[in-house]
Amino acid sequence: MAGQKLNEPVPDWAAWVDQDEADIMKGRCWTELRRPLRAVPVLEAVLARFDDAQARDKSLYLSWLAESYLAAGGVEQAAVVTGPGT
């Protein structure tokens, strides 16, 4: 983890929290705060790095992106990211 000193114990949660996960949570927070102009770029950037092997997580995160699009009035974009083939 960033800022971690050598030989310092790593917290248990650090096993699954990488930079992508931190970015997803940042996007989710912006989504919950109804700040789509901040949420959308963060979520789009990190989702571009996800492949279909992570389908369950990717689907959840795409729903957050769709929610942000809707908050910004982007009904068409929300439909695209939640539609078939995404």
Side-chain angles (χ1 to χ4, degrees):
M1 299 232 26
Q4 187 85 21
K5 295 179 182 171
L6 292 178
N7 299 323
E8 190 173 305
V10 176
D12 291 338
W13 56 263
W16 61 269
V17 178
D18 59 10
Q19 189 59 51
D20 284 346
E21 187 67 27
D23 288 345
I24 284 290
M25 289 301 110
K26 180 171 38 172
R28 177 63 175 157
C29 288
W30 286 125
T31 299
E32 285 299 308
L33 292 169
R34 310 288 286 167
R35 301 293 301 269
L37 295 179
R38 293 186 182 258
V40 167
V42 172
L43 292 171
E44 286 179 335
V46 73
L47 283 165
R49 297 189 293 270
F50 275 68
D51 61 25
D52 290 339
Q54 302 158 305
R56 181 186 166 277
D57 291 339
K58 186 176 179 180
S59 295
L60 176 63
Y61 305 154
L62 284 168
S63 74
W64 298 344
L65 178 58
E67 187 177 339
S68 288
Y69 279 140
L70 288 173
V75 176
E76 293 82 11
Q77 293 98 325
V80 168
V81 299
T82 58
T86 56

